[in-house]
Amino acid sequence: MELSVRFRREMDKGLCRDTNPTAAVKMLPTFVRSTPDGTEQGEFLALDLGGSNFRILLVKVQGNGEQKVEMESQTYDIPELVMRGSGSELFDHIADCLADFLEKMGIKDKKLPLGFTFSFPCLQTKLDEIKSSIQKTSAHDQMSSYQSVLMSWTKGFRLSGVEGKDVVSLLRRAIKKRGDFDTDIMAVISDTVGTMMTCGFDDRHCEIGLIVGTGTNACYMEQMRNLQLLDGDEGQMCVNTEWGAFGDDGALEDLRTDIDREIDAGSLNPGKQLFEKMISGMYMGELVRLIMVKMARDKLLFQGNTTPDLLTTGHFSTNYVYTIESDKDEEGLANAEKVLRSMGLNPSAEDCAATRRICQIVSTRAAHLCAATLAAVMRQIRDNKAAEKLRITIGVDGSVYKNHPEFSRRLNKMVRRLVPDCDVRFLQSQHGSGKGAAMVTAVAYRLAAQHAERQRILDTLRLSREQLFEVKRRMTEEMARGLSKQTHDQTSVKMLPTYVRSTPDGTEQGDFLALDLGGSSFRVLLVRLKKEKKQKVDMHQKIYSIDQDTMQGTGEELFDHIVYCISDFLDYMGMRGASLPLGFTFSFPCDQTKLDEGILLKWTKGFKASGCEGKDVVMLLKEAVRRKQKFDLNFVAVVNDTVGTMMTCAYEDPQCELGLIVGTGTNACYMEEMHNIETVEGNEGRMCVNVEWGAFGENGELDDFCTEFDRAVDECSNHPGKQRYEKMISGMYLGEIVRNVLMDFTAKGLLFRGKLSERLKTRGIFETKFLSQIESDRLAMRQVRSILQHLGLTGSTCDDSVLVKEVCSVVARRAAQLCGAGLAALVDKIRQNRNLNQLSITVGVDGTLYKTHPHFSSIMQETLQDLAPQCEVTFLKSEDGSGKGAALITAVACRFKSEKLL
């Protein structure tokens, strides 16, 4: 347990940008971003170099559910002269062998992608990343070129001129020198990564690769946010721990023995790979030999006798440890005697038993050391996922693990003891790291092809600067048509007069009721405006709900329910029977001919109450009051929530002359010159115009910007063909757009492994609040994953979470840009109305999407600034525009009324 804690600290050092240069455990990024998902397919070459010989493989992968892999391979020796020569000689030899293999396979004329398993510590960097998602490139063009610089030789290799050099360049140079074939070297990986990828093709829970053979190492899938060596914090990447170097900085000194120090001193790289020298097959037999020599010299073995073989380095093979440790005592003792006699010794039965015990102790220590570091890696993954119980598979390769059953048994048992809260499976790699190199290449090709297809789809949701200018131009055109008496009836943007002629001047006072109706819940408020400077507005409120049956029943039922709630509120406030002026925030399109009259044009936001459209909502409310006879209303002002927002902010900032709502729906209002409003008599002064811009696009103005996803959302809405602009912007629809994109991605096998959950098929299940949560900069990928699990997507991966976040980002960005383009049209119109070169103005804003989405407001403001550079716009968040604002409109109207009487 102590060792596991130490190794976790070393991992943290390696991951941290500041401490990595001095860390012993280097935690090298591999640029392998995903494990196989079973859909990979194609032909790939693999080159597996890590010992005194190497393999070349032709791997044919057949995915799409069948997950079939066919392999043909050949092993080539590395001559002794080449092993002791220069790097260029080694890579020339590899190129010659590749040519021979391709000739034999009859594929020398094909240019196949090649994965290179290079089982030595390398520092990898990604050189050619995709610079723009708009680039039209092939899957191959989108592959990253790799540079893989050899840090140091291990495993007895000592070729000159390679350390500090890029092995990819060396191999490419050797291939080019021959000139008779070519390959795409797509990926350079360690054997550990290859093992993880091989096993990952068979078991998607495989996120750790482990090698215990001639050397030892491990890799695992780490969260990008923890990899400080690289930019970017989304998704995951395989990290090659290079844990063989654990202890090179002294972290294992209290655990190392004199025997360990003797082995290290006699090695090719003293002071390096100290952890590996306590575990791996290259040193295990030698550890046993040195212990036997020491015990013989202390007359504890072989009656104090030694032989030249016993005293010769390397003469006690690690294979001897396997045979002596046979699980059958008699067989193990017999093997011990046979081995010892082959070394010229004449062992007694006690000598054989002692030798067997030495082998057991050395291999047990190796297994337990390995288990301790594995436990640290598993805890890191568990913590990354915030999982109470982790289910994980460890892909394993290497001669020690495979040939030494007792080692693997002890390792498995100790891992389960150290991490009891993990459901761990060990899966032996059946085809070695060669297949893994091919799988890394296959995954890279699959990711590139999927990335290209996803970007092609998402590009339909991305708007260029030119397109945004066109949206602004069309909005300006429709606004002009809406203000004109001749074209008002034909336009989609109705530019409704509100009969609000002024913003507050601060002299308003008195008690006012406010009624805020715009969704499935509504509020009744008492607003007291005082003359005192401190606490000028005093508010009390109560929230009431409207059930679905009432929303879609009759108008009489709806307004009777509203009157009942107002009466209940007056009772609650101790004002039964009071007669007060009321500001009625009615957040639906209305045609007003005066302030206390509003003809409902059409229901939106899911309302369908019959007998209301075409009627005056003030009369419908007053009729319900008469029916109930609970109280009286002496004046009712019909208020749009957008206007209320503007009035609330104007109470704080006299420069506020626009109102904007971006919530369940979206709308805007602004102070227009009376002489421009042809639908109203009079030319003097200004009047607030309710733009009703949600309907922009109903005459086809947005058709060339609408995608298949917008059309799907529109067709399934309560009002197909209506509110087209609103359906591309507001909170009621963004989640649905995202859901439709996710379903399309899944159907095309680009997301969730092509498996569509029943819950995701449900309309409205992906709420817009999820966009705000998922796009939060503070939200880790594991929290995105928990949202997906809530949606029934229990098998979603980290990669899926990254993609879902990207979809949310693209959809929300488009909404904010469209909103910014509409605002740009409004502020520029005000500037031109007043013949100003520069306009300084404030916009009062309300709505949950604007207030809660982490990036909506900034993107909208950037777009506005870009499209209307001559306008300096300040945004002021409204504090209760539809309640306080409604009361202020009523108060201003009452002030005007009293001024006229005077």
Side-chain angles (χ1 to χ4, degrees):
M1 288 298 289
E2 167 60 22
L3 186 68
S4 188
V5 170
R6 283 188 211 179
F7 186 69
R8 184 84 180 269
R9 282 198 295 264
E10 291 298 313
M11 288 170 66
D12 290 341
K13 280 187 194 175
L15 290 169
C16 178
R17 182 181 284 109
D18 295 336
T19 53
N20 176 271
T22 57
V25 180
K26 286 300 181 186
M27 305 295 285
L28 303 173
T30 66
F31 297 93
V32 173
R33 298 294 301 267
S34 177
T35 50
D37 72 355
T39 63
E40 293 78 13
Q41 52 190 333
E43 284 188 322
F44 305 92
L45 288 170
L47 175 60
D48 184 5
L49 175 66
S52 57
N53 54 41
F54 67 95
R55 283 190 309 153
I56 301 173
L57 305 91
L58 174 63
V59 182
K60 296 177 183 177
V61 182
Q62 187 174 323
N64 292 325
E66 294 187 37
Q67 292 186 244
K68 187 178 175 185
V69 177
E70 295 176 2
M71 294 193 298
E72 295 185 72
S73 67
Q74 186 167 337
T75 302
Y76 293 87
D77 290 326
I78 303 176
E80 191 69 28
L81 281 172
V82 173
M83 284 279 286
R84 290 203 300 264
S86 67
S88 60
E89 289 173 319
L90 171 66
F91 286 99
D92 284 348
H93 176 65
I94 292 171
D96 291 343
C97 296
L98 262 171
D100 176 72
F101 181 78
L102 295 173
E103 189 81 53
K104 287 177 179 173
M105 294 293 111
I107 53 172
K108 205 171 181 183
D109 57 333
K110 287 187 179 181
K111 186 177 181 180
L112 295 178
L114 181 143
F116 186 8
T117 304
F118 190 71
S119 306
F120 304 94
C122 285
L123 183 63
Q124 285 185 272
T125 54
K126 217 173 188 178
L127 296 182
D128 305 327
E129 291 186 302
I130 307 165
K131 296 298 180 189
S132 169
S133 60
I134 300 172
Q135 288 177 321
K136 306 301 180 199
T137 52
S138 68
H140 162 62
D141 291 333
Q142 292 191 51
M143 292 288 91
S144 300
S145 295
Y146 285 89
Q147 187 179 56
S148 193
V149 177
L150 176 65
M151 297 168 68
S152 60
W153 285 116
T154 56
K155 306 175 191 176
F157 274 69
R158 266 296 191 234
L159 288 98
S160 63
V162 184
E163 289 184 347
K165 298 287 180 64
D166 172 26
V167 296
V168 176
S169 297
L170 293 172
L171 180 56
R172 280 198 180 119
R173 202 174 299 149
I175 292 171
K176 191 175 180 182
K177 192 194 296 184
R178 279 193 59 94
D180 57 343
F181 72 94
D182 198 6
T183 66
D184 286 330
I185 303 173
M186 302 313 307
V188 179
I189 62 168
S190 72
D191 52 352
T192 323
V193 179
T195 294
M196 182 188 76
M197 296 297 276
T198 300
C199 296
F201 190 70
D202 300 318
D203 184 337
R204 65 185 181 85
H205 293 290
C206 184
E207 292 188 63
I208 299 177
L210 170 67
I211 297 284
V212 193
T214 308
T216 184
N217 194 14
C219 67
Y220 71 102
M221 297 304 291
E222 176 60 90
Q223 297 295 312
M224 281 294 292
R225 67 177 184 273
N226 295 331
L227 257 169
Q228 293 184 15
L229 298 173
L230 302 177
D231 293 330
D233 61 357
E234 292 181 359
Q236 55 185 356
M237 181 181 286
C238 178
V239 166
N240 171 13
T241 65
E242 284 298 340
W243 77 10
F246 179 34
D248 287 5
D249 57 356
L252 296 175
E253 280 313 295
D254 56 332
L255 298 177
R256 294 175 70 230
T257 66
D258 291 340
I259 304 293
D260 294 309
R261 293 185 181 90
E262 190 175 343
I263 281 219
D264 178 48
S267 68
L268 290 170
N269 54 349
K272 303 293 183 186
Q273 300 295 109
L274 297 183
F275 187 63
E276 182 171 86
K277 288 168 184 172
M278 298 169 79
I279 290 176
S280 75
M282 189 167 186
Y283 304 99
M284 193 181 289
E286 188 62 9
L287 279 166
V288 172
R289 186 190 70 82
L290 288 173
I291 293 169
M292 290 196 299
V293 168
K294 179 173 173 53
M295 292 181 76
R297 285 173 175 163
D298 290 346
K299 301 197 184 311
L300 298 172
L301 271 181
F302 316 130
Q303 297 176 328
N305 296 321
T306 59
T307 66
D309 275 342
L310 183 61
L311 295 173
T312 303
T313 300
H315 272 220
F316 194 92
S317 161
T318 296
N319 286 328
Y320 293 164
V321 179
Y322 309 155
T323 59
I324 291 171
E325 266 212 86
S326 168
D327 55 359
K328 295 178 182 176
D329 288 349
E330 299 81 4
E331 188 178 322
L333 291 170
N335 289 339
E337 183 177 2
K338 184 178 177 182
V339 167
L340 294 172
R341 289 194 183 281
S342 73
M343 299 179 74
L345 294 161
N346 187 25
S348 65
E350 290 78 6
D351 291 335
C352 294
T355 300
R356 189 163 188 257
R357 184 70 185 126
I358 293 166
C359 291
Q360 288 171 340
I361 289 168
V362 168
S363 72
T364 298
R365 183 185 73 156
H368 288 178
L369 286 170
C370 197
T373 45
L374 258 185
V377 172
M378 289 164 67
R379 283 197 189 91
Q380 176 82 357
I381 295 172
R382 185 197 62 196
D383 292 350
N384 285 344
K385 295 184 177 182
E388 287 184 19
K389 189 172 180 69
L390 176 70
R391 182 182 176 191
I392 196 158
T393 298
I394 300 169
V396 200
D397 205 350
S399 54
V400 173
Y401 188 90
K402 285 186 168 180
N403 301 333
H404 193 347
E406 286 302 299
F407 177 93
S408 56
R409 184 186 63 78
R410 291 174 190 135
L411 172 65
N412 298 7
K413 186 177 178 182
M414 183 54 71
V415 165
R416 290 183 172 93
R417 282 185 65 191
L418 293 176
V419 200
D421 48 0
C422 290
D423 178 7
V424 60
R425 177 193 180 203
F426 287 84
L427 180 61
Q428 278 194 32
S429 169
Q430 297 304 314
H431 302 287
S433 49
K435 175 184 169 186
M439 290 314 306
V440 170
T441 310
V443 167
Y445 257 66
R446 188 252 303 165
L447 289 178
Q450 289 179 339
H451 177 83
E453 177 62 9
R454 279 191 297 265
Q455 294 312 310
R456 185 192 66 74
I457 294 166
L458 290 178
D459 280 350
T460 65
L461 289 155
R462 292 187 173 105
L463 296 173
S464 67
R465 189 167 183 261
E466 291 71 26
Q467 287 174 309
L468 291 169
F469 266 114
E470 181 60 19
V471 171
K472 177 192 172 186
R473 188 193 68 76
R474 294 181 192 180
M475 177 70 83
T476 303
E477 198 174 86
E478 286 303 302
M479 285 164 57
R481 283 161 54 81
L483 290 169
S484 168
K485 189 179 285 187
Q486 287 182 323
T487 53
H488 175 82
D489 291 339
Q490 289 85 45
T491 185
S492 60
V493 180
K494 289 301 179 187
M495 305 294 284
L496 304 173
T498 66
Y499 297 88
V500 173
R501 299 291 308 272
S502 172
T503 51
D505 67 1
T507 64
E508 294 80 9
Q509 60 180 313
D511 287 359
F512 303 89
L513 280 175
L515 175 61
D516 177 13
L517 175 66
S520 58
S521 63
F522 73 100
R523 296 180 302 152
V524 184
L525 305 93
L526 175 66
V527 181
R528 290 190 165 120
L529 301 177
K530 304 174 185 178
K531 271 192 171 181
E532 295 86 9
K533 286 188 178 179
K534 288 185 180 178
Q535 200 183 355
K536 292 182 77 175
V537 180
D538 186 18
M539 291 197 301
H540 304 273
Q541 68 171 357
K542 201 170 178 184
I543 297 173
Y544 298 89
S545 62
I546 306 175
D547 60 37
Q548 196 74 12
D549 289 343
T550 306
M551 284 171 69
Q552 301 191 359
T554 67
E556 195 170 293
E557 289 169 341
L558 174 62
F559 281 92
D560 281 353
H561 177 66
I562 291 168
V563 167
Y564 168 79
C565 295
I566 296 172
S567 175
D568 176 77
F569 177 73
L570 290 171
D571 287 351
Y572 169 73
M573 294 299 299
M575 300 173 69
R576 180 179 295 186
S579 178
L580 294 174
L582 179 130
F584 186 5
T585 301
F586 190 72
S587 305
F588 303 92
C590 281
D591 188 13
Q592 284 185 268
T593 53
K594 47 190 177 177
L595 188 58
D596 58 352
E597 178 184 275
I599 308 299
L600 174 64
L601 297 176
K602 61 183 175 184
W603 284 117
T604 57
K605 305 176 189 176
F607 276 74
K608 274 189 173 180
S610 62
C612 297
E613 291 182 354
K615 300 282 181 67
D616 176 12
V617 294
V618 173
M619 287 306 300
L620 292 173
L621 181 62
K622 285 183 174 178
E623 285 169 7
V625 169
R626 279 197 293 272
R627 278 195 301 272
K628 295 295 178 184
Q629 295 184 344
K630 295 277 188 180
F631 58 91
D632 195 15
L633 298 173
N634 65 21
F635 176 79
V636 179
V638 179
V639 181
N640 176 274
D641 56 350
T642 321
V643 183
T645 293
M646 181 188 75
M647 295 294 273
T648 303
C649 294
Y651 196 63
E652 307 293 330
D653 180 351
Q655 278 199 308
C656 181
E657 295 186 73
L658 283 96
L660 171 67
I661 297 282
V662 194
T664 308
T666 184
N667 194 15
C669 68
Y670 72 106
M671 296 303 291
E672 178 60 271
E673 307 300 316
M674 278 293 293
H675 62 79
N676 288 335
I677 309 172
E678 295 180 11
T679 54
V680 175
E681 291 182 7
N683 289 319
E684 296 298 317
R686 295 170 183 158
M687 181 183 286
C688 180
V689 167
N690 170 14
V691 180
E692 283 298 340
W693 75 7
F696 178 46
E698 287 183 10
N699 292 337
E701 302 94 340
L702 294 171
D703 283 0
D704 46 342
F705 303 120
C706 282
T707 67
E708 59 182 292
F709 312 112
D710 297 305
R711 288 187 282 274
V713 168
D714 178 51
E715 286 163 12
C716 294
S717 68
N718 285 335
H719 303 281
K722 304 296 182 184
Q723 301 294 106
R724 299 304 299 273
Y725 188 58
E726 180 170 85
K727 286 170 184 172
M728 297 171 81
I729 291 176
S730 76
M732 190 167 187
Y733 303 100
L734 293 192
E736 264 302 282
I737 295 172
V738 169
R739 187 183 70 85
N740 276 276
V741 176
L742 299 184
M743 287 207 305
D744 184 62
F745 275 11
T746 308
K748 289 173 176 163
L750 304 173
L751 191 64
F752 306 136
R753 299 173 186 264
K755 294 174 184 173
L756 192 61
S757 81
E758 287 301 315
R759 278 176 66 81
L760 194 59
K761 294 178 186 175
T762 308
R763 270 186 63 210
I765 195 71
F766 199 100
E767 299 171 50
T768 297
K769 70 176 182 181
F770 293 149
L771 270 81
S772 299
Q773 291 170 3
I774 285 170
E775 279 213 76
S776 170
D777 294 328
R778 300 186 302 276
L779 198 68
M781 277 301 127
R782 65 170 181 252
Q783 291 162 295
V784 176
R785 210 161 161 185
S786 72
I787 291 170
L788 298 180
Q789 286 168 349
H790 166 75
L791 295 171
L793 299 161
T794 52
S796 62
T797 65
C798 182
D799 292 335
D800 291 332
S801 299
V802 172
L803 295 173
V804 170
K805 187 170 183 178
E806 184 181 11
V807 172
C808 290
S809 173
V810 169
V811 170
R813 182 175 187 82
R814 184 188 68 158
Q817 288 177 322
L818 284 169
C819 196
L823 264 183
L826 285 177
V827 295
D828 251 353
K829 179 159 195 348
I830 294 171
R831 182 183 64 78
Q832 290 163 10
N833 283 346
R834 299 174 191 181
N835 295 314
L836 296 172
N837 187 45
Q838 286 287 327
L839 173 71
S840 181
I841 198 165
T842 298
V843 179
V845 200
D846 205 350
T848 50
L849 184 59
Y850 182 90
K851 286 183 171 180
T852 62
H853 192 281
H855 308 301
F856 189 98
S857 59
S858 60
I859 295 167
M860 183 190 78
Q861 289 170 34
E862 285 166 15
T863 306
L864 171 60
Q865 189 174 6
D866 185 42
L867 301 183
Q870 291 171 274
C871 300
E872 184 185 323
V873 184
T874 302
F875 287 84
L876 181 61
K877 285 182 185 176
S878 165
E879 298 304 326
D880 196 22
S882 50
K884 178 177 163 185
L888 281 165
I889 290 169
T890 311
V892 168
C894 290
R895 171 167 63 83
F896 262 73
K897 203 173 177 183
S898 61
E899 285 172 357
K900 280 183 180 179
L901 289 172
L902 288 169

